[in-house]
Structure formats: C-alpha cells, structure tokens
Amino acid sequence: MENHDDSERNGKEPFPWHLGVYDAHCHPTDTIASRGKIAKMKARALTIMATRGEDQDLGKDFASHNEIKQGSHESLAHERDKSPECQIVPSFGWHPWFSHQIFDDTTPEAQSGGEPDQMQHYRLVLTPSPDDGFISSLPKPRSLSGLLMQIRGNLESHASALVGEIGIDRSFRLPEHWAQEEAQRSNDLTPGGREGRRLTPYRVDIEHQKKILKAQLNLAGEMGRAVSVHGVAAHGVMFELIKETWQGHEIKIISKREKKRKSKPNTAPHPGDEMDVDSHDGRNGGSTSEPYPPRICLHSYSGPLNVLEQYLYPNIPAAMFFSFSCLVNFSSRTSKAVQVIKEVPDDKILVESDLHSAGEEMDKLLEDAVRSVCEIKGWSLVEGVTQLGKNWARFVFGETEV
C-alpha cells in the first residue's frame, strides 16, 4: 500500500501508509455513489458516522462487506496483510442539526400526553417560532424512545460500533424547504442533508439539543460504547452536560504520600502532597454499564485551551480523545489550533477527514491532517502514524495495551 510517488514529486517525506492510517470521523454515507471507492482507499479503516433518519441503515450497508471486528492495533495490521481493503467501523446516532425531528417521550409527563401535534412540537423546539408553511415542510417528528431503541438494536448487531455523531450546535440554522421538485436533487446524495439550500433564521432550542444528547450519552454508557461528539459554539455547555453523566463516578484522587500513610496507619497527611490517580482506559472492552460513555472523542475539536484542560482533569472516569481535521482545524492554521494540539496529550489525539465522500480526496485529507499534527507535535511521520494508530485502536476498542 506504500505509494511514495506523489510525496517525492512534491518534495515531501514519503508517507507511511503501510503503517496504518485511521479516519476517526467521516461521512461517506452522504454520497452513496462513493461506496465503491472505499475498498481501494489507502486508509486502513474509516469510522463512519450516522446523523439522521436517512443514513442510520446506510452505515450497516456500508459495513456489510468489510466491517472491523473487535481487535487491537497489531491485529488490525495482521488483517491488513491478509486483506488490503480499507475496513469500516459503523456508528449510529442523531446529530444536533436534526435534533428538532425528535420529541422527548421519556418523561412521565410526556408519556401521559401521547404523541405531540407536529405544529406544537416544532414551535416548542425551534426559535424563533416558524410559520405554518415552514413547519408543514418538516418531517413528522419521531419519538426519542424509538430512536434509542433503534440505536440500541444497531449496537447489539455491531460489536465494535460507536455512538455518533451526537452533540450540541448553537450556530446551526435549518435550511429552507425545497422550492423546486425533488427531481432537481442529485441522486448521488443521501436525502435529508442541506444540499446547498439557503439557511433560515430557525435554530434548535439548546435545552432540547441537550436532552437528545444526554439520552444518547447514557445509552452509550449502558452499552459500553465510545462516542463521537460534535460541538460548535457550545464548548462550555457541552462540557457541563457531559460532566453530568459521570457525576458521582469520578475517580478518587489521592496523594502518593496518602498511599504511603495508608500502609502506615499512624502517619498523618501532609499539606501540598503530590497527587496520584489509578490509571484507566475507558472501561476496557466495554464490560461495565455506567451512565457515561467509556470513551469520548470531541471531533474536529475547536474549543479553547481552558475547556481542553477541564476535559483532561485526572478524576474524569471516561477516556477522552480529541480529533482534528483539515476541513475545520487546519484551513487557516490558526495559532489557537496549533496551541491546542500542542497541549493535547500524545495518547489522546486522533485525525479525521470529516468528509462526505469516500475516495482519493478523503485519503488526501487524512494524509494532510497527519502531516500537520506531526509537524506541530515534532513527530516524524513514522512516529506519528504509529502513535495515531494506537490511539484510534484505544478509542474504538478500549484496549489498554497495543
């Protein structure tokens, strides 16, 4: 799988595809016609997201041929020796851009009230309140309990599947409804996306987004699955919500001196003791049910350093990861992105394409992201690709050693 020609022609260090490059977050199901290109990609594996009703089953279809089973970084390399085709990890979840299509029927009040009126529902969850014409163009809302049941079933059928893409987005605005006949749409694209439509002033209420996100985080915790999380203009809000899922389950931090004192009962604690914490890796194997996900990736992370530091606090029981993409993080190589990547621990960083179509462009975006991360981190390409591969395996499988 090594192909050094392009790199050498461009005067770059040859790229070590043979070591295994893993896309932590992508959307090839948005372009159904690109499915056939996956097998010939240089990337070793794609972590494919679901976002809405139209693509939940597509993840299963894409994974039907070459889905990755439970394994390790070394076992993936061994599988690549036997089969050179790019492999797939499917994910199932509901994106915040489509969270208005879900009504919460999980509370006692909602259960007693029955299914809500469509007009009433959308007026409650969209702001400003839309007119009747716009609401009538929206799909009939579906229940949160039904969505969770569907995601659960998909996770049960796919042992290594993730929950994603889920999250909170304060900036997103709904697109206008189709002004022309459906025949004007591209048949290559999966229905339900924006597809170039102009945006309306309507946004999804943040409290509603939080309900949909938390329900999916809790399900991921119950099933012991990793999650891929989208956050735009809501970094503090999202941290506080994710934090709620692990409250009461934090790792107890004790000082090294305290450890010694416990072995010597007559020794008193000392002010300013150095703190220590037992290592953890996100409930290895996903065997324990908890209300918080065992492993969490903040995809295309664009938050500030102070929020990053909150996610890295040692009492957090979930294993945190942060992925970076050319489309979001390296478009202008801002000092903010560079500083954040420098501060992310080496074993918690991932790369992604976040692209809507499989093929050569996805490979190129992955290579460019890896090169950028390696440059910022001061890694050689061999060191970086190896480290990123191990990180991806820990994120997906929860393994403690690779």
Side-chain angles (χ1 to χ4, degrees):
M1 290 300 292
E2 285 186 274
N3 186 348
H4 297 163
D5 294 346
D6 292 341
S7 295
E8 291 173 346
R9 279 196 297 268
N10 295 328
K12 296 180 179 179
E13 178 185 351
F15 194 76
W17 286 104
H18 64 288
L19 295 177
V21 176
Y22 303 87
D23 192 335
H25 185 107
C26 59
H27 298 272
T29 51
D30 277 352
T31 309
I32 302 173
S34 72
R35 177 179 177 174
K37 299 178 181 180
I38 293 177
K40 297 181 179 180
M41 287 182 61
K42 297 175 185 178
R44 183 161 295 174
L46 308 180
T47 316
I48 297 179
M49 299 293 121
T51 59
R52 57 192 187 275
E54 291 85 351
D55 65 7
Q56 300 297 315
D57 288 338
L58 285 176
K60 294 188 292 185
D61 292 341
F62 272 54
S64 61
H65 174 59
N66 224 18
E67 181 178 359
I68 286 183
K69 306 303 180 184
Q70 188 78 14
S72 67
H73 188 230
E74 281 75 12
S75 67
L76 292 177
H78 178 66
E79 288 297 319
R80 184 55 171 247
D81 291 338
K82 296 192 299 182
S83 173
E85 292 186 5
C86 179
Q87 297 180 295
I88 291 171
V89 173
S91 306
F92 305 98
W94 206 269
H95 196 285
W97 291 358
F98 308 97
S99 56
H100 59 288
Q101 298 173 6
I102 306 298
F103 68 87
D104 183 8
D105 64 335
T106 61
T107 64
E109 297 80 4
Q111 290 171 353
S112 63
E115 188 172 321
D117 172 77
Q118 178 166 330
M119 293 287 180
Q120 180 185 26
H121 166 74
Y122 282 120
R123 288 198 180 99
L124 285 173
V125 302
L126 295 178
T127 181
S129 182
D131 58 54
D132 291 356
F134 182 77
I135 292 177
S136 64
S137 73
L138 298 174
K140 180 180 179 181
R142 60 178 298 186
S143 69
L144 178 56
S145 63
L147 170 63
L148 297 176
M149 184 181 301
Q150 180 185 24
I151 296 174
R152 181 191 301 276
N154 287 333
L155 295 177
E156 290 173 344
S157 300
H158 299 269
S160 295
L162 280 60
V163 173
E165 179 179 0
I166 59 179
I168 298 175
D169 193 321
R170 282 186 181 272
S171 296
F172 175 74
R173 290 178 289 146
L174 271 64
E176 293 180 345
H177 61 80
W178 288 99
Q180 299 175 324
E181 294 296 326
E182 286 288 308
Q184 300 298 314
R185 295 184 58 256
S186 170
N187 292 328
D188 291 338
L189 300 179
T190 301
R194 180 184 173 185
E195 299 183 41
R197 288 178 287 171
R198 291 185 299 177
L199 298 178
T200 70
Y202 308 124
R203 289 183 166 89
V204 184
D205 175 72
I206 195 70
E207 293 301 319
H208 183 72
Q209 291 189 48
K210 288 165 63 176
K211 289 178 184 177
I212 306 306
L213 171 59
K214 190 171 184 180
Q216 294 179 92
L217 291 171
N218 292 155
L219 177 61
E222 177 190 339
M223 303 289 287
R225 302 302 178 92
V227 299
S228 188
V229 182
H230 168 108
V232 174
H235 301 293
V237 171
M238 192 163 69
F239 173 78
E240 291 301 324
L241 180 66
I242 295 175
K243 179 181 175 183
E244 286 180 16
T245 68
W246 65 57
Q247 280 187 333
H249 300 267
E250 293 89 347
I251 297 170
K252 184 178 180 181
I253 303 175
I254 59 176
S255 69
K256 291 180 179 178
R257 189 183 296 270
E258 177 69 7
K259 282 187 174 181
K260 292 180 181 179
R261 189 185 69 80
K262 286 186 176 182
S263 65
K264 300 177 180 179
N266 293 327
T267 304
H270 188 278
D273 283 347
E274 183 180 359
M275 305 307 288
D276 192 20
V277 60
D278 291 334
S279 64
H280 72 288
D281 197 48
R283 304 207 302 276
N284 181 34
S287 59
T288 305
S289 176
E290 300 285 1
Y292 60 90
R295 300 173 302 283
I296 300 170
C297 176
L298 304 181
H299 106 87
S300 289
Y301 180 74
S302 59
L305 273 175
N306 66 307
V307 175
L308 172 69
E309 291 167 355
Q310 290 179 301
Y311 280 113
L312 296 177
Y313 197 69
N315 74 340
I316 292 176
M320 298 300 306
F321 296 85
F322 307 84
S323 64
F324 298 90
S325 69
C326 289
L327 294 179
V328 175
N329 304 107
F330 303 127
S331 57
S332 61
R333 188 62 73 88
T334 64
S335 58
K336 173 184 173 183
V338 171
Q339 188 59 40
V340 166
I341 289 170
K342 285 181 178 179
E343 295 299 322
V344 173
D346 292 355
D347 62 350
K348 294 181 178 294
I349 191 166
L350 303 169
V351 293
E352 58 171 277
S353 69
D354 198 21
L355 194 64
H356 63 279
S357 179
E360 291 183 6
E361 185 181 358
M362 186 174 283
D363 274 336
K364 183 180 186 303
L365 287 172
L366 286 172
E367 177 179 343
D368 290 346
V370 171
R371 288 184 181 276
S372 295
V373 168
C374 288
E375 179 184 343
I376 293 168
K377 284 288 193 180
W379 294 337
S380 71
L381 287 179
V382 169
E383 290 172 330
V385 169
T386 301
Q387 181 67 62
L388 291 167
K390 290 181 178 181
N391 295 351
W392 182 87
R394 286 180 53 243
F395 168 57
V396 173
F397 303 122
E399 58 186 27
T400 55
E401 295 182 4
V402 292

